[in-house]
Amino acid sequence: MHKFRQTLARAYTVLFLIFLLAPLVVMSGAAFNDSKLPSIVPWKGWTTMWFSEMIQDQRMMVAFANTLWVAVAVAVIAVIVGTAAAILINSTSGRARTALYGMMISTILIPGVVIGISTMILWTKMGGVLFGPEGKPWPFIPGLHLSVLGQVSYIAAMVMLLVLARLQSFDAGLEEAALDLGASHAQVMRRILLPHLYPAIGAGAAVAFFQSIENFNVTQFTRGGADTLTVYVFSKVRAGITPTINALAFLLIMVTLVLAVIYEINRRRRARVEAAREAEARRAEEAMLL
């Protein structure tokens, strides 16, 4: 019976990995197929032509640059807002904590279409009230800055959840001890609390960055005339997709894998350094007891 369960678990793992990776493998293979259709069947030969055409597609390159600009801005603002919200929620209790937590989480549950439309209406109506219906200045007109604000409104909640989970393992006694020894609140924040939160903040920044890259609903209603990658791909799907999309997707997958490998190598290096420090501390403690 135990062997049967092991076999069943392995079969499930294999099927899950196939379900997860097969679309990526097919899409990556289509980027090297010498066919005008984005597929690997029939295979008409090996080519890198689609990568050359991708670079020559100026609209795609502009959309890609816009996507990176928006993603970096969203990651920076979402980390600041999400971290501040997590610290605030962690420092409160009772109904205030429940209300703050509920308000932050509710933004994740709201459909992206609603967030996009409401963001666009809020800013354009605000500009109309302040400057009249004609000649509204930036930032009261649709554009990528509104896409950033709209995405931050719900992605910051994801960052908040990651940082709040990390805060549960923080020893508040360290903060009180530092204050008793004369440290200011700013020094406690900079030298004790934030270093403890750095892993969660880094993970939150990565989540915010990739959530922004794949966002479509909010961007579609707030972008104005600018293109991002998801909007560009959607327009190409309607007009007729080409393997240049597969080439771009292959490069994004490779960049993601490289970043994941670098992160894992760095994490293991830090774990080894931390283990060595703990072992050295134990040896020093044992030497003092002898």
Side-chain angles (χ1 to χ4, degrees):
M1 189 65 181
H2 179 66
K3 188 176 181 180
F4 174 74
R5 288 180 178 177
Q6 282 188 334
T7 304
L8 192 62
R10 289 172 183 168
Y12 172 79
T13 303
V14 171
L15 290 175
F16 178 74
L17 290 176
I18 292 175
F19 173 77
L20 192 67
L21 299 177
L24 300 180
V25 172
V26 171
M27 184 174 59
S28 300
F32 297 96
N33 187 12
D34 191 10
S35 169
K36 293 183 179 179
L37 298 177
S39 65
I40 58 174
V41 180
W43 184 261
K44 294 189 176 181
W46 179 272
T47 182
T48 57
M49 173 180 64
W50 305 117
F51 291 90
S52 301
E53 292 197 2
M54 178 195 73
I55 296 174
Q56 294 171 3
D57 189 339
Q58 292 300 315
R59 186 186 168 194
M60 180 187 288
M61 291 296 102
V62 171
F64 184 54
N66 288 340
T67 301
L68 293 180
W69 180 88
V70 170
V72 170
V74 168
V76 171
I77 300 175
V79 162
I80 296 173
V81 175
T83 302
I87 295 173
L88 177 62
I89 291 174
N90 191 62
S91 63
T92 58
S93 59
R95 293 181 178 178
R97 179 189 177 95
T98 304
L100 288 173
Y101 185 81
M103 284 192 293
M104 288 295 294
I105 293 299
S106 63
T107 57
I108 300 178
L109 305 177
I110 298 174
V113 174
V114 176
I115 293 178
I117 294 175
S118 59
T119 301
M120 189 266 294
I121 292 176
L122 170 68
W123 286 87
T124 54
K125 292 295 182 184
M126 190 187 305
V129 171
L130 295 175
F131 303 98
E134 300 295 334
K136 289 176 289 188
W138 186 92
F140 301 103
I141 56 176
L144 292 179
H145 60 288
L146 289 190
S147 300
V148 172
L149 296 177
Q151 292 179 25
V152 166
S153 63
Y154 77 96
I155 293 177
M158 300 178 184
V159 178
M160 183 272 292
L161 288 175
L162 292 171
V163 177
L164 192 59
R166 180 70 176 176
L167 276 172
Q168 304 306 313
S169 63
F170 179 68
D171 184 3
L174 294 175
E175 192 174 7
E176 295 174 1
L179 293 172
D180 289 341
L181 292 173
S184 64
H185 286 280
Q187 288 174 322
V188 171
M189 174 75 73
R190 189 175 68 254
R191 297 189 177 184
I192 297 178
L193 184 57
L194 286 182
H196 180 76
L197 298 179
Y198 281 158
I201 291 175
V207 169
F209 183 82
F210 289 109
Q211 279 288 321
S212 174
I213 284 183
E214 63 90 25
N215 180 270
F216 173 76
N217 294 335
V218 176
T219 307
Q220 175 67 12
F221 290 99
T222 56
R223 66 189 176 90
D227 275 342
T228 62
L229 206 52
T230 52
V231 174
Y232 170 79
V233 171
F234 178 70
S235 66
K236 294 292 287 185
V237 168
R238 290 196 304 177
I241 193 171
T242 67
T244 56
I245 301 297
N246 300 83
L248 180 61
F250 175 77
L251 292 179
L252 290 176
I253 292 171
M254 290 298 102
V255 170
T256 304
L257 288 177
V258 169
L259 292 177
V261 170
I262 292 174
Y263 172 80
E264 182 63 19
I265 292 174
N266 191 41
R267 187 191 65 80
R268 292 189 179 189
R269 183 184 61 80
R270 289 201 306 267
R272 286 197 299 270
V273 171
E274 189 67 24
R277 287 177 179 172
E278 290 179 358
E280 185 177 355
R282 283 197 300 270
R283 286 195 297 270
E285 187 177 0
E286 292 172 358
M288 292 177 64
L289 294 176
L290 292 177

